[in-house]
Amino acid sequence: MPLDQGTDEPAFLSRLERLATVDSTQRVVRDWLSDGVPEVAIAVADEQAAGRGRLDRSWVAPPGAALLLSAGFRPHDLAAGHGWRLAAVVSLAMLDAAEEAAGLPDGRLALKWPNDIVAAGDDEPRKVAGVLGEAAMGADGLVATAVVGIGIDADWRRADFPPELASSMTSLRELGGDRPIDREQLLDAFLQRLEPRYEALRRGRFDVGGWSARQVTTGHQVEVVSGGSRLVGRASGVDPEQGSLRLVIDGREQSVDAGDVVRCRLIG
């Protein structure tokens, strides 16, 4: 059942429901869009029983430890090739909101191509959040509907991290010096930042500079497992049109498409 909803939600939202336990917020919002619910529609859950990430990986967090949400969009005039920018604006909005909510300095969080928010400054950046985007195309070659899900480890204590993930993950609470994280404040901060970024995207503008500058892979030697192949090279940046990773191998630059990537890891 939906939790009580406040009366001061941002006007750009058509629907915002807070759910206690749900199988997947992605499924909830996908069903809303299929039923004709207008954008922007957001489902937030305390717990997901069947949350999934990219490549159908499971995504599990204790109840109340993470902010789990999916946002449904009906963008106008967004080409299929630019559909990835919806996930990008969601990621950028959450990254900025998370730094504020945890009292972190600018730049403490970064984007790790293709779909993670991580804590910057470590040899191997630790994951804070994962993003999952899916879109349905119209006959005109434009994005008809899209759902972007994000799960961010918010008020998760380090002592409660799963042993098998403790070395590769972190949370806003840990990064903030065990400062409790209010998920409602984090959600509010996210929505405040999502609205202008999405409205700009609908008008044909995308923050290429901000998205590129936040990529922790740029300038580093990386290993990419893609389409059954293992590629090792220096990441020279990201393509602002395709959203792909630019990888220099033996002096030659090539692009790696995010859809084929199984793993991207910094190795130097």
Side-chain angles (χ1 to χ4, degrees):
M1 293 292 292
L3 302 181
D4 290 339
Q5 180 173 327
T7 59
D8 57 349
E9 307 301 355
F12 84 107
L13 296 182
S14 70
R15 185 170 186 172
L16 171 61
E17 287 195 16
R18 297 167 175 84
L19 307 161
T21 301
V22 68
D23 55 350
S24 165
T25 57
Q26 288 289 98
R27 193 274 307 163
V28 169
V29 175
R30 190 165 54 241
D31 288 351
W32 288 351
L33 294 178
S34 295
D35 290 341
V37 172
E39 65 172 28
V40 172
I42 293 183
V44 185
D46 288 336
E47 183 181 21
Q48 290 188 118
R52 312 298 295 179
R54 284 183 74 251
L55 306 174
D56 207 33
R57 295 172 177 141
S58 62
W59 205 102
V60 179
L67 177 60
L68 310 170
L69 67 87
S70 293
F73 302 94
R74 296 182 184 276
H76 300 287
D77 300 324
L78 183 64
H82 285 168
W84 62 269
R85 290 181 172 180
L86 283 166
V89 299
V90 168
S91 298
L92 287 167
M94 184 61 80
L95 186 154
D96 289 341
E99 286 184 339
E100 178 187 273
L104 303 176
D106 291 346
R108 183 64 178 97
L109 299 179
L111 302 175
K112 179 173 174 286
W113 187 92
N115 72 315
D116 291 339
I117 296 176
V118 299
D122 301 329
D123 290 338
E124 180 62 29
R126 292 176 294 160
K127 183 173 179 176
V128 180
V131 182
L132 174 65
E134 51 187 277
M137 303 302 160
D140 55 5
L142 303 177
V143 177
T145 62
V147 182
V148 179
I150 185 165
I152 180 164
D153 297 328
D155 202 42
W156 200 340
R157 293 179 180 272
R158 180 173 179 80
D160 298 328
F161 291 175
E164 67 275 15
L165 299 176
S167 64
S168 61
M169 67 170 284
T170 187
S171 69
L172 298 182
R173 180 161 188 153
E174 181 197 359
L175 294 172
D178 202 33
R179 168 184 171 180
I181 303 298
D182 187 313
R183 290 183 304 139
E184 278 297 315
Q185 291 182 1
L186 176 58
L187 175 61
D188 289 344
F190 164 70
L191 294 176
Q192 290 170 13
R193 288 160 174 78
L194 177 62
E195 181 175 10
R197 287 189 178 277
Y198 181 54
E199 290 302 321
L201 186 64
R202 289 191 63 182
R203 293 192 295 270
R205 299 199 300 271
F206 173 65
D207 184 11
V208 171
W211 181 70
S212 298
R214 288 287 202 169
Q215 298 291 333
V216 73
T217 49
T218 301
H220 288 274
Q221 196 80 359
V222 299
E223 175 197 52
V224 178
V225 177
S226 174
S229 301
R230 176 180 177 271
L231 306 173
V232 175
R234 182 164 296 274
S236 60
V238 283
D239 189 301
E241 289 297 318
Q242 301 177 6
S244 55
L245 178 69
R246 290 172 172 166
L247 196 62
V248 179
I249 302 175
D250 295 330
R252 300 182 63 181
E253 186 176 83
Q254 65 182 77
S255 293
V256 181
D257 183 75
D260 298 329
V261 171
V262 176
R263 183 177 72 243
C264 179
R265 183 172 66 93
L266 274 65
I267 58 175

